[in-house]
Amino acid sequence: MAEYGFFEDGEDVFYLNVHEVHEALTDLGLAWAGGAPARGTVYWPPRVARRKEILARLAEWTPPPALGIVPEVINDPTVQLLWGVTAERLREWASGEEGGVRGYAASPGIVEGVARVLRDVNEIGSVQQDEVLVCSVTAPSWAPVFPKISAAVSDIGGMMSHAAIIAREYGLPAVVGTGHATKQIKTGDRLRVDGDNGVVTILD
């Protein structure tokens, strides 16, 4: 049997939902009590492997900004403030035109710096001092990187998104809700982030 019950890596348990965890633990308990091998050693590892494969594929995929027809009007203030989603922004994102990187002027100031494009919070250790963070979206788990960066740019977000609020707290320029920044910018690009006007310029 693997070191962690059914798995070689203890973190694999997070690929199960709460009901499956209960089933797996019950199986282990009954197997231990009855002195028989647990059926989960055959059942769970292939399912976990498949879920890892699916998540790896999804990590490489950029989903469309909307499914179906873009609504004429989006009036929900929460959607606008947290996610930066308006009918106009959805139409811009859906058009696929790459005429520059524009978004919401979420935190004022103008900074030039080298881009660091991150796809996952687990990559924040690669950020160097005074780089410009470019990511899809941030959450509280991203907070440790903000004292190190000079500006923040995100694909998703509105004026009350996590990236916008934390950037304002640290006095960093931020442009959020760009839609495609992580596709248009590469790590190492030199950027000008204009947090006053919501524009990110790729200098070289």
Side-chain angles (χ1 to χ4, degrees), residues 46-76:
R47 282 159 177 74
V48 167
R50 176 63 178 149
R51 291 170 188 179
K52 285 182 178 181
E53 181 185 349
I54 290 169
L55 287 176
R57 295 272 183 92
L58 288 174
E60 298 169 358
W61 178 59
T62 301
L67 299 176
I69 298 170
V70 176
E72 289 296 320
V73 179
I74 298 176
N75 290 323
D76 187 335

PDB file of all heavy atoms in Angstrom, residues 46-76:
ATOM      1  N   PRO A  46      -6.277   5.653 -10.226  1.00  0.00           N
ATOM      2  CA  PRO A  46      -6.555   6.009 -11.623  1.00  0.00           C
ATOM      3  C   PRO A  46      -7.456   7.235 -11.758  1.00  0.00           C
ATOM      4  O   PRO A  46      -7.285   8.046 -12.668  1.00  0.00           O
ATOM      5  CB  PRO A  46      -7.253   4.766 -12.194  1.00  0.00           C
ATOM      6  CG  PRO A  46      -6.977   3.669 -11.251  1.00  0.00           C
ATOM      7  CD  PRO A  46      -6.734   4.294  -9.922  1.00  0.00           C
ATOM      8  N   ARG A  47      -8.400   7.384 -10.833  1.00  0.00           N
ATOM      9  CA  ARG A  47      -9.291   8.545 -10.888  1.00  0.00           C
ATOM     10  C   ARG A  47      -8.528   9.835 -10.582  1.00  0.00           C
ATOM     11  O   ARG A  47      -8.732  10.863 -11.219  1.00  0.00           O
ATOM     12  CB  ARG A  47     -10.464   8.353  -9.924  1.00  0.00           C
ATOM     13  CG  ARG A  47     -11.507   7.418 -10.492  1.00  0.00           C
ATOM     14  CD  ARG A  47     -12.397   6.795  -9.444  1.00  0.00           C
ATOM     15  NE  ARG A  47     -13.416   5.970 -10.073  1.00  0.00           N
ATOM     16  CZ  ARG A  47     -13.178   4.773 -10.613  1.00  0.00           C
ATOM     17  NH1 ARG A  47     -11.965   4.269 -10.597  1.00  0.00           N
ATOM     18  NH2 ARG A  47     -14.157   4.086 -11.176  1.00  0.00           N
ATOM     19  N   VAL A  48      -7.655   9.761  -9.596  1.00  0.00           N
ATOM     20  CA  VAL A  48      -6.841  10.934  -9.266  1.00  0.00           C
ATOM     21  C   VAL A  48      -5.924  11.291 -10.433  1.00  0.00           C
ATOM     22  O   VAL A  48      -5.774  12.460 -10.787  1.00  0.00           O
ATOM     23  CB  VAL A  48      -6.036  10.686  -7.972  1.00  0.00           C
ATOM     24  CG1 VAL A  48      -4.959  11.748  -7.791  1.00  0.00           C
ATOM     25  CG2 VAL A  48      -6.971  10.661  -6.768  1.00  0.00           C
ATOM     26  N   ALA A  49      -5.318  10.303 -11.058  1.00  0.00           N
ATOM     27  CA  ALA A  49      -4.435  10.552 -12.200  1.00  0.00           C
ATOM     28  C   ALA A  49      -5.194  11.235 -13.336  1.00  0.00           C
ATOM     29  O   ALA A  49      -4.687  12.166 -13.971  1.00  0.00           O
ATOM     30  CB  ALA A  49      -3.819   9.243 -12.688  1.00  0.00           C
ATOM     31  N   ARG A  50      -6.433  10.780 -13.590  1.00  0.00           N
ATOM     32  CA  ARG A  50      -7.247  11.387 -14.654  1.00  0.00           C
ATOM     33  C   ARG A  50      -7.596  12.827 -14.312  1.00  0.00           C
ATOM     34  O   ARG A  50      -7.562  13.710 -15.169  1.00  0.00           O
ATOM     35  CB  ARG A  50      -8.524  10.550 -14.851  1.00  0.00           C
ATOM     36  CG  ARG A  50      -9.496  11.119 -15.861  1.00  0.00           C
ATOM     37  CD  ARG A  50      -8.899  11.171 -17.246  1.00  0.00           C
ATOM     38  NE  ARG A  50      -9.876  11.679 -18.202  1.00  0.00           N
ATOM     39  CZ  ARG A  50      -9.555  12.368 -19.271  1.00  0.00           C
ATOM     40  NH1 ARG A  50      -8.286  12.623 -19.556  1.00  0.00           N
ATOM     41  NH2 ARG A  50     -10.484  12.801 -20.089  1.00  0.00           N
ATOM     42  N   ARG A  51      -7.916  13.111 -13.064  1.00  0.00           N
ATOM     43  CA  ARG A  51      -8.264  14.472 -12.660  1.00  0.00           C
ATOM     44  C   ARG A  51      -7.054  15.399 -12.757  1.00  0.00           C
ATOM     45  O   ARG A  51      -7.181  16.562 -13.122  1.00  0.00           O
ATOM     46  CB  ARG A  51      -8.849  14.458 -11.244  1.00  0.00           C
ATOM     47  CG  ARG A  51     -10.219  13.790 -11.217  1.00  0.00           C
ATOM     48  CD  ARG A  51     -10.737  13.540  -9.832  1.00  0.00           C
ATOM     49  NE  ARG A  51     -11.956  12.736  -9.907  1.00  0.00           N
ATOM     50  CZ  ARG A  51     -12.638  12.336  -8.849  1.00  0.00           C
ATOM     51  NH1 ARG A  51     -12.235  12.656  -7.621  1.00  0.00           N
ATOM     52  NH2 ARG A  51     -13.728  11.607  -9.001  1.00  0.00           N
ATOM     53  N   LYS A  52      -5.880  14.890 -12.443  1.00  0.00           N
ATOM     54  CA  LYS A  52      -4.661  15.684 -12.604  1.00  0.00           C
ATOM     55  C   LYS A  52      -4.453  16.046 -14.070  1.00  0.00           C
ATOM     56  O   LYS A  52      -4.080  17.171 -14.408  1.00  0.00           O
ATOM     57  CB  LYS A  52      -3.442  14.911 -12.087  1.00  0.00           C
ATOM     58  CG  LYS A  52      -3.325  14.834 -10.593  1.00  0.00           C
ATOM     59  CD  LYS A  52      -2.055  14.085 -10.208  1.00  0.00           C
ATOM     60  CE  LYS A  52      -1.865  14.030  -8.702  1.00  0.00           C
ATOM     61  NZ  LYS A  52      -0.630  13.333  -8.323  1.00  0.00           N
ATOM     62  N   GLU A  53      -4.688  15.065 -14.937  1.00  0.00           N
ATOM     63  CA  GLU A  53      -4.529  15.295 -16.377  1.00  0.00           C
ATOM     64  C   GLU A  53      -5.507  16.363 -16.873  1.00  0.00           C
ATOM     65  O   GLU A  53      -5.145  17.258 -17.622  1.00  0.00           O
ATOM     66  CB  GLU A  53      -4.763  13.983 -17.132  1.00  0.00           C
ATOM     67  CG  GLU A  53      -4.610  14.105 -18.630  1.00  0.00           C
ATOM     68  CD  GLU A  53      -4.962  12.820 -19.361  1.00  0.00           C
ATOM     69  OE1 GLU A  53      -5.135  11.771 -18.699  1.00  0.00           O
ATOM     70  OE2 GLU A  53      -5.076  12.864 -20.597  1.00  0.00           O
ATOM     71  N   ILE A  54      -6.762  16.275 -16.421  1.00  0.00           N
ATOM     72  CA  ILE A  54      -7.778  17.254 -16.818  1.00  0.00           C
ATOM     73  C   ILE A  54      -7.388  18.652 -16.355  1.00  0.00           C
ATOM     74  O   ILE A  54      -7.465  19.626 -17.113  1.00  0.00           O
ATOM     75  CB  ILE A  54      -9.158  16.855 -16.253  1.00  0.00           C
ATOM     76  CG1 ILE A  54      -9.669  15.600 -16.968  1.00  0.00           C
ATOM     77  CG2 ILE A  54     -10.155  17.997 -16.398  1.00  0.00           C
ATOM     78  CD1 ILE A  54     -10.889  14.971 -16.309  1.00  0.00           C
ATOM     79  N   LEU A  55      -6.960  18.781 -15.105  1.00  0.00           N
ATOM     80  CA  LEU A  55      -6.577  20.094 -14.576  1.00  0.00           C
ATOM     81  C   LEU A  55      -5.367  20.662 -15.299  1.00  0.00           C
ATOM     82  O   LEU A  55      -5.280  21.868 -15.535  1.00  0.00           O
ATOM     83  CB  LEU A  55      -6.318  20.009 -13.070  1.00  0.00           C
ATOM     84  CG  LEU A  55      -7.573  19.861 -12.209  1.00  0.00           C
ATOM     85  CD1 LEU A  55      -7.195  19.683 -10.756  1.00  0.00           C
ATOM     86  CD2 LEU A  55      -8.480  21.072 -12.365  1.00  0.00           C
ATOM     87  N   ALA A  56      -4.413  19.804 -15.670  1.00  0.00           N
ATOM     88  CA  ALA A  56      -3.240  20.272 -16.417  1.00  0.00           C
ATOM     89  C   ALA A  56      -3.660  20.812 -17.774  1.00  0.00           C
ATOM     90  O   ALA A  56      -3.159  21.852 -18.231  1.00  0.00           O
ATOM     91  CB  ALA A  56      -2.241  19.133 -16.584  1.00  0.00           C
ATOM     92  N   ARG A  57      -4.612  20.126 -18.438  1.00  0.00           N
ATOM     93  CA  ARG A  57      -5.105  20.602 -19.736  1.00  0.00           C
ATOM     94  C   ARG A  57      -5.850  21.925 -19.578  1.00  0.00           C
ATOM     95  O   ARG A  57      -5.705  22.836 -20.387  1.00  0.00           O
ATOM     96  CB  ARG A  57      -6.037  19.567 -20.359  1.00  0.00           C
ATOM     97  CG  ARG A  57      -5.382  18.261 -20.729  1.00  0.00           C
ATOM     98  CD  ARG A  57      -4.787  18.292 -22.134  1.00  0.00           C
ATOM     99  NE  ARG A  57      -4.222  17.019 -22.490  1.00  0.00           N
ATOM    100  CZ  ARG A  57      -4.872  16.051 -23.120  1.00  0.00           C
ATOM    101  NH1 ARG A  57      -6.136  16.231 -23.453  1.00  0.00           N
ATOM    102  NH2 ARG A  57      -4.266  14.920 -23.421  1.00  0.00           N
ATOM    103  N   LEU A  58      -6.674  22.022 -18.552  1.00  0.00           N
ATOM    104  CA  LEU A  58      -7.446  23.249 -18.321  1.00  0.00           C
ATOM    105  C   LEU A  58      -6.533  24.434 -18.012  1.00  0.00           C
ATOM    106  O   LEU A  58      -6.843  25.575 -18.365  1.00  0.00           O
ATOM    107  CB  LEU A  58      -8.443  23.046 -17.180  1.00  0.00           C
ATOM    108  CG  LEU A  58      -9.639  22.147 -17.493  1.00  0.00           C
ATOM    109  CD1 LEU A  58     -10.468  21.913 -16.234  1.00  0.00           C
ATOM    110  CD2 LEU A  58     -10.498  22.751 -18.585  1.00  0.00           C
ATOM    111  N   ALA A  59      -5.406  24.176 -17.358  1.00  0.00           N
ATOM    112  CA  ALA A  59      -4.467  25.253 -17.021  1.00  0.00           C
ATOM    113  C   ALA A  59      -3.869  25.878 -18.274  1.00  0.00           C
ATOM    114  O   ALA A  59      -3.454  27.040 -18.258  1.00  0.00           O
ATOM    115  CB  ALA A  59      -3.361  24.723 -16.123  1.00  0.00           C
ATOM    116  N   GLU A  60      -3.843  25.132 -19.373  1.00  0.00           N
ATOM    117  CA  GLU A  60      -3.286  25.637 -20.627  1.00  0.00           C
ATOM    118  C   GLU A  60      -4.340  26.324 -21.496  1.00  0.00           C
ATOM    119  O   GLU A  60      -4.018  26.889 -22.531  1.00  0.00           O
ATOM    120  CB  GLU A  60      -2.667  24.478 -21.421  1.00  0.00           C
ATOM    121  CG  GLU A  60      -1.518  23.798 -20.704  1.00  0.00           C
ATOM    122  CD  GLU A  60      -1.096  22.511 -21.375  1.00  0.00           C
ATOM    123  OE1 GLU A  60      -1.742  22.123 -22.388  1.00  0.00           O
ATOM    124  OE2 GLU A  60      -0.125  21.884 -20.905  1.00  0.00           O
ATOM    125  N   TRP A  61      -5.599  26.264 -21.084  1.00  0.00           N
ATOM    126  CA  TRP A  61      -6.713  26.756 -21.897  1.00  0.00           C
ATOM    127  C   TRP A  61      -7.158  28.129 -21.431  1.00  0.00           C
ATOM    128  O   TRP A  61      -7.295  28.379 -20.242  1.00  0.00           O
ATOM    129  CB  TRP A  61      -7.875  25.766 -21.803  1.00  0.00           C
ATOM    130  CG  TRP A  61      -9.112  26.158 -22.546  1.00  0.00           C
ATOM    131  CD1 TRP A  61      -9.233  26.409 -23.883  1.00  0.00           C
ATOM    132  CD2 TRP A  61     -10.423  26.331 -21.999  1.00  0.00           C
ATOM    133  NE1 TRP A  61     -10.531  26.704 -24.204  1.00  0.00           N
ATOM    134  CE2 TRP A  61     -11.286  26.670 -23.064  1.00  0.00           C
ATOM    135  CE3 TRP A  61     -10.946  26.214 -20.717  1.00  0.00           C
ATOM    136  CZ2 TRP A  61     -12.656  26.903 -22.883  1.00  0.00           C
ATOM    137  CZ3 TRP A  61     -12.300  26.449 -20.542  1.00  0.00           C
ATOM    138  CH2 TRP A  61     -13.138  26.786 -21.611  1.00  0.00           C
ATOM    139  N   THR A  62      -7.391  29.033 -22.367  1.00  0.00           N
ATOM    140  CA  THR A  62      -7.963  30.332 -22.032  1.00  0.00           C
ATOM    141  C   THR A  62      -9.430  30.299 -22.442  1.00  0.00           C
ATOM    142  O   THR A  62      -9.735  30.250 -23.638  1.00  0.00           O
ATOM    143  CB  THR A  62      -7.250  31.474 -22.781  1.00  0.00           C
ATOM    144  OG1 THR A  62      -5.861  31.442 -22.430  1.00  0.00           O
ATOM    145  CG2 THR A  62      -7.845  32.819 -22.415  1.00  0.00           C
ATOM    146  N   PRO A  63     -10.338  30.300 -21.481  1.00  0.00           N
ATOM    147  CA  PRO A  63     -11.762  30.207 -21.821  1.00  0.00           C
ATOM    148  C   PRO A  63     -12.263  31.486 -22.478  1.00  0.00           C
ATOM    149  O   PRO A  63     -11.677  32.554 -22.299  1.00  0.00           O
ATOM    150  CB  PRO A  63     -12.432  29.992 -20.464  1.00  0.00           C
ATOM    151  CG  PRO A  63     -11.496  30.596 -19.476  1.00  0.00           C
ATOM    152  CD  PRO A  63     -10.118  30.398 -20.031  1.00  0.00           C
ATOM    153  N   PRO A  64     -13.343  31.394 -23.245  1.00  0.00           N
ATOM    154  CA  PRO A  64     -13.922  32.599 -23.837  1.00  0.00           C
ATOM    155  C   PRO A  64     -14.485  33.491 -22.740  1.00  0.00           C
ATOM    156  O   PRO A  64     -14.828  33.007 -21.652  1.00  0.00           O
ATOM    157  CB  PRO A  64     -15.038  32.055 -24.743  1.00  0.00           C
ATOM    158  CG  PRO A  64     -15.387  30.731 -24.156  1.00  0.00           C
ATOM    159  CD  PRO A  64     -14.112  30.192 -23.576  1.00  0.00           C
ATOM    160  N   PRO A  65     -14.603  34.806 -22.996  1.00  0.00           N
ATOM    161  CA  PRO A  65     -15.104  35.712 -21.958  1.00  0.00           C
ATOM    162  C   PRO A  65     -16.571  35.515 -21.626  1.00  0.00           C
ATOM    163  O   PRO A  65     -17.022  35.902 -20.561  1.00  0.00           O
ATOM    164  CB  PRO A  65     -14.868  37.105 -22.566  1.00  0.00           C
ATOM    165  CG  PRO A  65     -14.789  36.866 -24.032  1.00  0.00           C
ATOM    166  CD  PRO A  65     -14.208  35.508 -24.211  1.00  0.00           C
ATOM    167  N   ALA A  66     -17.321  34.916 -22.547  1.00  0.00           N
ATOM    168  CA  ALA A  66     -18.742  34.695 -22.282  1.00  0.00           C
ATOM    169  C   ALA A  66     -19.208  33.494 -23.091  1.00  0.00           C
ATOM    170  O   ALA A  66     -18.652  33.189 -24.144  1.00  0.00           O
ATOM    171  CB  ALA A  66     -19.558  35.931 -22.664  1.00  0.00           C
ATOM    172  N   LEU A  67     -20.220  32.820 -22.584  1.00  0.00           N
ATOM    173  CA  LEU A  67     -20.836  31.711 -23.295  1.00  0.00           C
ATOM    174  C   LEU A  67     -22.135  32.205 -23.915  1.00  0.00           C
ATOM    175  O   LEU A  67     -22.960  32.809 -23.231  1.00  0.00           O
ATOM    176  CB  LEU A  67     -21.116  30.544 -22.350  1.00  0.00           C
ATOM    177  CG  LEU A  67     -19.898  29.933 -21.657  1.00  0.00           C
ATOM    178  CD1 LEU A  67     -20.331  28.861 -20.676  1.00  0.00           C
ATOM    179  CD2 LEU A  67     -18.933  29.349 -22.675  1.00  0.00           C
ATOM    180  N   GLY A  68     -22.302  31.969 -25.192  1.00  0.00           N
ATOM    181  CA  GLY A  68     -23.515  32.413 -25.866  1.00  0.00           C
ATOM    182  C   GLY A  68     -23.444  33.883 -26.244  1.00  0.00           C
ATOM    183  O   GLY A  68     -22.372  34.468 -26.398  1.00  0.00           O
ATOM    184  N   ILE A  69     -24.604  34.485 -26.378  1.00  0.00           N
ATOM    185  CA  ILE A  69     -24.709  35.885 -26.825  1.00  0.00           C
ATOM    186  C   ILE A  69     -24.412  36.819 -25.659  1.00  0.00           C
ATOM    187  O   ILE A  69     -24.909  36.630 -24.553  1.00  0.00           O
ATOM    188  CB  ILE A  69     -26.124  36.148 -27.369  1.00  0.00           C
ATOM    189  CG1 ILE A  69     -26.384  35.251 -28.582  1.00  0.00           C
ATOM    190  CG2 ILE A  69     -26.302  37.615 -27.736  1.00  0.00           C
ATOM    191  CD1 ILE A  69     -27.813  35.247 -29.059  1.00  0.00           C
ATOM    192  N   VAL A  70     -23.587  37.826 -25.920  1.00  0.00           N
ATOM    193  CA  VAL A  70     -23.280  38.826 -24.888  1.00  0.00           C
ATOM    194  C   VAL A  70     -24.526  39.665 -24.644  1.00  0.00           C
ATOM    195  O   VAL A  70     -25.105  40.209 -25.586  1.00  0.00           O
ATOM    196  CB  VAL A  70     -22.107  39.728 -25.329  1.00  0.00           C
ATOM    197  CG1 VAL A  70     -21.859  40.814 -24.297  1.00  0.00           C
ATOM    198  CG2 VAL A  70     -20.856  38.902 -25.559  1.00  0.00           C
ATOM    199  N   PRO A  71     -24.966  39.788 -23.382  1.00  0.00           N
ATOM    200  CA  PRO A  71     -26.172  40.581 -23.115  1.00  0.00           C
ATOM    201  C   PRO A  71     -25.971  42.050 -23.439  1.00  0.00           C
ATOM    202  O   PRO A  71     -24.860  42.569 -23.381  1.00  0.00           O
ATOM    203  CB  PRO A  71     -26.411  40.370 -21.612  1.00  0.00           C
ATOM    204  CG  PRO A  71     -25.139  39.841 -21.067  1.00  0.00           C
ATOM    205  CD  PRO A  71     -24.406  39.180 -22.182  1.00  0.00           C
ATOM    206  N   GLU A  72     -27.061  42.703 -23.816  1.00  0.00           N
ATOM    207  CA  GLU A  72     -27.004  44.124 -24.163  1.00  0.00           C
ATOM    208  C   GLU A  72     -26.617  44.982 -22.958  1.00  0.00           C
ATOM    209  O   GLU A  72     -25.888  45.956 -23.076  1.00  0.00           O
ATOM    210  CB  GLU A  72     -28.359  44.596 -24.706  1.00  0.00           C
ATOM    211  CG  GLU A  72     -28.692  44.059 -26.077  1.00  0.00           C
ATOM    212  CD  GLU A  72     -27.718  44.550 -27.133  1.00  0.00           C
ATOM    213  OE1 GLU A  72     -27.318  45.728 -27.083  1.00  0.00           O
ATOM    214  OE2 GLU A  72     -27.338  43.746 -28.001  1.00  0.00           O
ATOM    215  N   VAL A  73     -27.112  44.601 -21.789  1.00  0.00           N
ATOM    216  CA  VAL A  73     -26.872  45.379 -20.571  1.00  0.00           C
ATOM    217  C   VAL A  73     -26.545  44.432 -19.423  1.00  0.00           C
ATOM    218  O   VAL A  73     -27.159  43.378 -19.278  1.00  0.00           O
ATOM    219  CB  VAL A  73     -28.115  46.219 -20.198  1.00  0.00           C
ATOM    220  CG1 VAL A  73     -27.866  47.004 -18.914  1.00  0.00           C
ATOM    221  CG2 VAL A  73     -28.506  47.154 -21.322  1.00  0.00           C
ATOM    222  N   ILE A  74     -25.548  44.809 -18.615  1.00  0.00           N
ATOM    223  CA  ILE A  74     -25.248  44.095 -17.376  1.00  0.00           C
ATOM    224  C   ILE A  74     -25.331  45.118 -16.253  1.00  0.00           C
ATOM    225  O   ILE A  74     -24.491  46.023 -16.159  1.00  0.00           O
ATOM    226  CB  ILE A  74     -23.853  43.456 -17.416  1.00  0.00           C
ATOM    227  CG1 ILE A  74     -23.790  42.408 -18.543  1.00  0.00           C
ATOM    228  CG2 ILE A  74     -23.519  42.802 -16.080  1.00  0.00           C
ATOM    229  CD1 ILE A  74     -22.433  41.794 -18.737  1.00  0.00           C
ATOM    230  N   ASN A  75     -26.372  44.998 -15.435  1.00  0.00           N
ATOM    231  CA  ASN A  75     -26.643  46.021 -14.418  1.00  0.00           C
ATOM    232  C   ASN A  75     -26.200  45.640 -13.015  1.00  0.00           C
ATOM    233  O   ASN A  75     -26.337  46.432 -12.096  1.00  0.00           O
ATOM    234  CB  ASN A  75     -28.144  46.341 -14.380  1.00  0.00           C
ATOM    235  CG  ASN A  75     -28.585  47.084 -15.617  1.00  0.00           C
ATOM    236  OD1 ASN A  75     -27.845  47.915 -16.140  1.00  0.00           O
ATOM    237  ND2 ASN A  75     -29.783  46.783 -16.100  1.00  0.00           N
ATOM    238  N   ASP A  76     -25.691  44.430 -12.839  1.00  0.00           N
ATOM    239  CA  ASP A  76     -25.336  43.975 -11.495  1.00  0.00           C
ATOM    240  C   ASP A  76     -24.074  44.704 -11.019  1.00  0.00           C
ATOM    241  O   ASP A  76     -22.985  44.479 -11.552  1.00  0.00           O
ATOM    242  CB  ASP A  76     -25.089  42.465 -11.527  1.00  0.00           C
ATOM    243  CG  ASP A  76     -24.875  41.880 -10.141  1.00  0.00           C
ATOM    244  OD1 ASP A  76     -24.442  42.622  -9.236  1.00  0.00           O
ATOM    245  OD2 ASP A  76     -25.124  40.678  -9.964  1.00  0.00           O
TER     246      ASP A  76
END
